[in-house]
Amino acid sequence: MQGYFITFEGPDGSGKSTQIQLIQQYFQEKGFDMVITREPGGTRISEKIRKIILDKTHVEMDYITEALLYAASRAQHVSQVIMPALEEGKVVICDRFVDSSLVYQGVGRGLGECVKEINDIAIRGCLPDITFLFKISPEEGKKRIRHEDRLDMENLDYHTKVYQAYLELERMNPDRIKGINADRSVEEIHREIKDYLEVLLKNLKKK
Ligand code: ADP
Ligand code: TYD
């Protein structure tokens, strides 16, 4: 693959979307061809699946159903958007990816290894080159959220388990996952991510 695949992960409300917008502006001005996308979502079909997953009235959703829906949304996203863009040499920035399923469904919902197995089918070897993990306690993240979806409504115990699982993933993947202290100002966080990416994208071809 010629492009560069960057993902942002962390608790809800940790500031991922805010930082992605700033990074998009910065690198587009520098002439990089970028695709900004998100999960669950990023294609017409995946956005429809997103609506089903996050619908507050779907209280009876089975955990396996939930995990399969995230993976189905991801399979479409990888094949329709992410892989073609990387093959064309673009920088792809994705708000959440497979790590979210490993921690939210694998650990938060307690589904374990099968989450990795179904996602291996969905992503076909397409893994991020780098992942920024936004580190902020779920309590602090929750304070920032204005509109809750079905998953934001889960109790603090669930979100704490998810956060611990993120920290464990970071320990297990030190080369790929870069922890970011997200309990700082928007500007400070932006500066750290921008400096980091400038080094990494130095050798990537521009438009
Ligand atoms: P996420 O995409 O991780 O859910 P957002 O970027 O949507 O998070 O941010 C959630 C809320 O917190 C938004 O209202 C946003 O303006 C605010 N926010 C983002 N970054 C910070 C920050 N560093 N400090 C304080 N508030 C922030
Ligand atoms: P998102 O819209 O990114 O929420 P936020 O902007 O608040 O971070 O994601 C919606 C929710 O879906 C969020 O609670 C995390 C959850 N999620 C999973 O449980 N598994 C997954 O694989 C993904 C991609 C998201």
PDB file of all heavy atoms in Angstrom, residues 66-84:
ATOM      1  N   GLU A  66     -24.663  -6.875  17.913  1.00  0.00           N
ATOM      2  CA  GLU A  66     -23.974  -5.578  17.927  1.00  0.00           C
ATOM      3  C   GLU A  66     -22.559  -5.715  17.337  1.00  0.00           C
ATOM      4  O   GLU A  66     -22.157  -4.929  16.461  1.00  0.00           O
ATOM      5  CB  GLU A  66     -23.902  -5.070  19.373  1.00  0.00           C
ATOM      6  CG  GLU A  66     -23.243  -3.715  19.525  1.00  0.00           C
ATOM      7  CD  GLU A  66     -23.103  -3.330  20.996  1.00  0.00           C
ATOM      8  OE1 GLU A  66     -24.103  -2.927  21.599  1.00  0.00           O
ATOM      9  OE2 GLU A  66     -21.984  -3.451  21.532  1.00  0.00           O
ATOM     10  N   ALA A  67     -21.824  -6.728  17.786  1.00  0.00           N
ATOM     11  CA  ALA A  67     -20.447  -6.916  17.313  1.00  0.00           C
ATOM     12  C   ALA A  67     -20.422  -7.193  15.805  1.00  0.00           C
ATOM     13  O   ALA A  67     -19.557  -6.679  15.074  1.00  0.00           O
ATOM     14  CB  ALA A  67     -19.781  -8.062  18.074  1.00  0.00           C
ATOM     15  N   LEU A  68     -21.386  -7.998  15.337  1.00  0.00           N
ATOM     16  CA  LEU A  68     -21.435  -8.323  13.906  1.00  0.00           C
ATOM     17  C   LEU A  68     -21.815  -7.101  13.076  1.00  0.00           C
ATOM     18  O   LEU A  68     -21.321  -6.915  11.960  1.00  0.00           O
ATOM     19  CB  LEU A  68     -22.419  -9.471  13.645  1.00  0.00           C
ATOM     20  CG  LEU A  68     -21.937 -10.857  14.114  1.00  0.00           C
ATOM     21  CD1 LEU A  68     -23.088 -11.863  14.087  1.00  0.00           C
ATOM     22  CD2 LEU A  68     -20.793 -11.369  13.239  1.00  0.00           C
ATOM     23  N   LEU A  69     -22.686  -6.263  13.612  1.00  0.00           N
ATOM     24  CA  LEU A  69     -23.078  -5.052  12.878  1.00  0.00           C
ATOM     25  C   LEU A  69     -21.886  -4.088  12.739  1.00  0.00           C
ATOM     26  O   LEU A  69     -21.664  -3.518  11.672  1.00  0.00           O
ATOM     27  CB  LEU A  69     -24.252  -4.348  13.559  1.00  0.00           C
ATOM     28  CG  LEU A  69     -25.623  -5.006  13.380  1.00  0.00           C
ATOM     29  CD1 LEU A  69     -26.668  -4.317  14.248  1.00  0.00           C
ATOM     30  CD2 LEU A  69     -26.057  -4.974  11.912  1.00  0.00           C
ATOM     31  N   TYR A  70     -21.121  -3.914  13.826  1.00  0.00           N
ATOM     32  CA  TYR A  70     -19.918  -3.068  13.717  1.00  0.00           C
ATOM     33  C   TYR A  70     -18.974  -3.647  12.670  1.00  0.00           C
ATOM     34  O   TYR A  70     -18.389  -2.915  11.866  1.00  0.00           O
ATOM     35  CB  TYR A  70     -19.190  -2.975  15.058  1.00  0.00           C
ATOM     36  CG  TYR A  70     -19.745  -1.957  16.025  1.00  0.00           C
ATOM     37  CD1 TYR A  70     -20.322  -2.337  17.235  1.00  0.00           C
ATOM     38  CD2 TYR A  70     -19.680  -0.591  15.752  1.00  0.00           C
ATOM     39  CE1 TYR A  70     -20.819  -1.400  18.135  1.00  0.00           C
ATOM     40  CE2 TYR A  70     -20.176   0.352  16.640  1.00  0.00           C
ATOM     41  CZ  TYR A  70     -20.747  -0.062  17.829  1.00  0.00           C
ATOM     42  OH  TYR A  70     -21.235   0.868  18.713  1.00  0.00           O
ATOM     43  N   ALA A  71     -18.811  -4.979  12.702  1.00  0.00           N
ATOM     44  CA  ALA A  71     -17.881  -5.613  11.757  1.00  0.00           C
ATOM     45  C   ALA A  71     -18.405  -5.507  10.324  1.00  0.00           C
ATOM     46  O   ALA A  71     -17.628  -5.296   9.386  1.00  0.00           O
ATOM     47  CB  ALA A  71     -17.656  -7.074  12.154  1.00  0.00           C
ATOM     48  N   ALA A  72     -19.726  -5.623  10.154  1.00  0.00           N
ATOM     49  CA  ALA A  72     -20.317  -5.527   8.808  1.00  0.00           C
ATOM     50  C   ALA A  72     -20.126  -4.118   8.262  1.00  0.00           C
ATOM     51  O   ALA A  72     -19.736  -3.917   7.103  1.00  0.00           O
ATOM     52  CB  ALA A  72     -21.804  -5.869   8.876  1.00  0.00           C
ATOM     53  N   SER A  73     -20.359  -3.142   9.113  1.00  0.00           N
ATOM     54  CA  SER A  73     -20.176  -1.744   8.717  1.00  0.00           C
ATOM     55  C   SER A  73     -18.716  -1.511   8.311  1.00  0.00           C
ATOM     56  O   SER A  73     -18.406  -0.854   7.311  1.00  0.00           O
ATOM     57  CB  SER A  73     -20.605  -0.865   9.903  1.00  0.00           C
ATOM     58  OG  SER A  73     -19.869   0.299   9.971  1.00  0.00           O
ATOM     59  N   ARG A  74     -17.812  -2.123   9.074  1.00  0.00           N
ATOM     60  CA  ARG A  74     -16.361  -1.975   8.814  1.00  0.00           C
ATOM     61  C   ARG A  74     -15.946  -2.671   7.514  1.00  0.00           C
ATOM     62  O   ARG A  74     -15.125  -2.135   6.759  1.00  0.00           O
ATOM     63  CB  ARG A  74     -15.607  -2.567  10.028  1.00  0.00           C
ATOM     64  CG  ARG A  74     -14.103  -2.468   9.960  1.00  0.00           C
ATOM     65  CD  ARG A  74     -13.506  -2.699  11.351  1.00  0.00           C
ATOM     66  NE  ARG A  74     -13.983  -1.692  12.278  1.00  0.00           N
ATOM     67  CZ  ARG A  74     -14.538  -1.938  13.472  1.00  0.00           C
ATOM     68  NH1 ARG A  74     -14.646  -3.186  13.915  1.00  0.00           N
ATOM     69  NH2 ARG A  74     -14.963  -0.962  14.237  1.00  0.00           N
ATOM     70  N   ALA A  75     -16.516  -3.847   7.252  1.00  0.00           N
ATOM     71  CA  ALA A  75     -16.153  -4.593   6.033  1.00  0.00           C
ATOM     72  C   ALA A  75     -16.460  -3.747   4.799  1.00  0.00           C
ATOM     73  O   ALA A  75     -15.650  -3.652   3.864  1.00  0.00           O
ATOM     74  CB  ALA A  75     -16.924  -5.908   5.980  1.00  0.00           C
ATOM     75  N   GLN A  76     -17.625  -3.116   4.792  1.00  0.00           N
ATOM     76  CA  GLN A  76     -18.026  -2.277   3.662  1.00  0.00           C
ATOM     77  C   GLN A  76     -17.112  -1.051   3.541  1.00  0.00           C
ATOM     78  O   GLN A  76     -16.698  -0.653   2.457  1.00  0.00           O
ATOM     79  CB  GLN A  76     -19.486  -1.837   3.856  1.00  0.00           C
ATOM     80  CG  GLN A  76     -20.057  -1.068   2.695  1.00  0.00           C
ATOM     81  CD  GLN A  76     -20.175  -1.922   1.434  1.00  0.00           C
ATOM     82  OE1 GLN A  76     -20.362  -3.144   1.505  1.00  0.00           O
ATOM     83  NE2 GLN A  76     -20.042  -1.290   0.281  1.00  0.00           N
ATOM     84  N   HIS A  77     -16.791  -0.492   4.694  1.00  0.00           N
ATOM     85  CA  HIS A  77     -15.958   0.712   4.749  1.00  0.00           C
ATOM     86  C   HIS A  77     -14.545   0.419   4.233  1.00  0.00           C
ATOM     87  O   HIS A  77     -13.978   1.192   3.451  1.00  0.00           O
ATOM     88  CB  HIS A  77     -15.926   1.160   6.217  1.00  0.00           C
ATOM     89  CG  HIS A  77     -15.359   2.511   6.454  1.00  0.00           C
ATOM     90  ND1 HIS A  77     -14.775   2.857   7.641  1.00  0.00           N
ATOM     91  CD2 HIS A  77     -15.287   3.613   5.675  1.00  0.00           C
ATOM     92  CE1 HIS A  77     -14.374   4.113   7.572  1.00  0.00           C
ATOM     93  NE2 HIS A  77     -14.672   4.597   6.396  1.00  0.00           N
ATOM     94  N   VAL A  78     -13.988  -0.712   4.676  1.00  0.00           N
ATOM     95  CA  VAL A  78     -12.634  -1.079   4.246  1.00  0.00           C
ATOM     96  C   VAL A  78     -12.612  -1.297   2.735  1.00  0.00           C
ATOM     97  O   VAL A  78     -11.749  -0.761   2.029  1.00  0.00           O
ATOM     98  CB  VAL A  78     -12.144  -2.355   5.000  1.00  0.00           C
ATOM     99  CG1 VAL A  78     -10.910  -2.952   4.335  1.00  0.00           C
ATOM    100  CG2 VAL A  78     -11.837  -2.019   6.458  1.00  0.00           C
ATOM    101  N   SER A  79     -13.587  -2.052   2.227  1.00  0.00           N
ATOM    102  CA  SER A  79     -13.524  -2.392   0.800  1.00  0.00           C
ATOM    103  C   SER A  79     -13.892  -1.219  -0.100  1.00  0.00           C
ATOM    104  O   SER A  79     -13.312  -1.038  -1.164  1.00  0.00           O
ATOM    105  CB  SER A  79     -14.400  -3.601   0.480  1.00  0.00           C
ATOM    106  OG  SER A  79     -15.748  -3.225   0.527  1.00  0.00           O
ATOM    107  N   GLN A  80     -14.835  -0.380   0.359  1.00  0.00           N
ATOM    108  CA  GLN A  80     -15.307   0.700  -0.534  1.00  0.00           C
ATOM    109  C   GLN A  80     -14.486   1.979  -0.421  1.00  0.00           C
ATOM    110  O   GLN A  80     -14.335   2.709  -1.391  1.00  0.00           O
ATOM    111  CB  GLN A  80     -16.782   0.991  -0.201  1.00  0.00           C
ATOM    112  CG  GLN A  80     -17.479   1.836  -1.249  1.00  0.00           C
ATOM    113  CD  GLN A  80     -18.909   2.165  -0.853  1.00  0.00           C
ATOM    114  OE1 GLN A  80     -19.571   1.410  -0.125  1.00  0.00           O
ATOM    115  NE2 GLN A  80     -19.395   3.306  -1.330  1.00  0.00           N
ATOM    116  N   VAL A  81     -13.958   2.258   0.766  1.00  0.00           N
ATOM    117  CA  VAL A  81     -13.302   3.558   0.981  1.00  0.00           C
ATOM    118  C   VAL A  81     -11.819   3.430   1.365  1.00  0.00           C
ATOM    119  O   VAL A  81     -10.954   4.015   0.718  1.00  0.00           O
ATOM    120  CB  VAL A  81     -14.061   4.358   2.078  1.00  0.00           C
ATOM    121  CG1 VAL A  81     -13.320   5.631   2.439  1.00  0.00           C
ATOM    122  CG2 VAL A  81     -15.473   4.683   1.607  1.00  0.00           C
ATOM    123  N   ILE A  82     -11.532   2.688   2.425  1.00  0.00           N
ATOM    124  CA  ILE A  82     -10.186   2.737   3.011  1.00  0.00           C
ATOM    125  C   ILE A  82      -9.135   2.114   2.079  1.00  0.00           C
ATOM    126  O   ILE A  82      -8.139   2.755   1.732  1.00  0.00           O
ATOM    127  CB  ILE A  82     -10.157   2.087   4.413  1.00  0.00           C
ATOM    128  CG1 ILE A  82     -11.103   2.855   5.346  1.00  0.00           C
ATOM    129  CG2 ILE A  82      -8.740   2.062   4.981  1.00  0.00           C
ATOM    130  CD1 ILE A  82     -11.269   2.264   6.732  1.00  0.00           C
ATOM    131  N   MET A  83      -9.384   0.876   1.644  1.00  0.00           N
ATOM    132  CA  MET A  83      -8.376   0.210   0.788  1.00  0.00           C
ATOM    133  C   MET A  83      -8.161   0.947  -0.532  1.00  0.00           C
ATOM    134  O   MET A  83      -7.004   1.187  -0.905  1.00  0.00           O
ATOM    135  CB  MET A  83      -8.756  -1.241   0.542  1.00  0.00           C
ATOM    136  CG  MET A  83      -8.269  -2.139   1.658  1.00  0.00           C
ATOM    137  SD  MET A  83      -8.514  -3.839   1.170  1.00  0.00           S
ATOM    138  CE  MET A  83      -7.543  -4.675   2.387  1.00  0.00           C
ATOM    139  N   PRO A  84      -9.234   1.344  -1.246  1.00  0.00           N
ATOM    140  CA  PRO A  84      -8.991   2.069  -2.507  1.00  0.00           C
ATOM    141  C   PRO A  84      -8.186   3.352  -2.293  1.00  0.00           C
ATOM    142  O   PRO A  84      -7.292   3.669  -3.078  1.00  0.00           O
ATOM    143  CB  PRO A  84     -10.409   2.384  -3.021  1.00  0.00           C
ATOM    144  CG  PRO A  84     -11.285   1.358  -2.370  1.00  0.00           C
ATOM    145  CD  PRO A  84     -10.666   1.058  -1.039  1.00  0.00           C
TER     146      PRO A  84
END
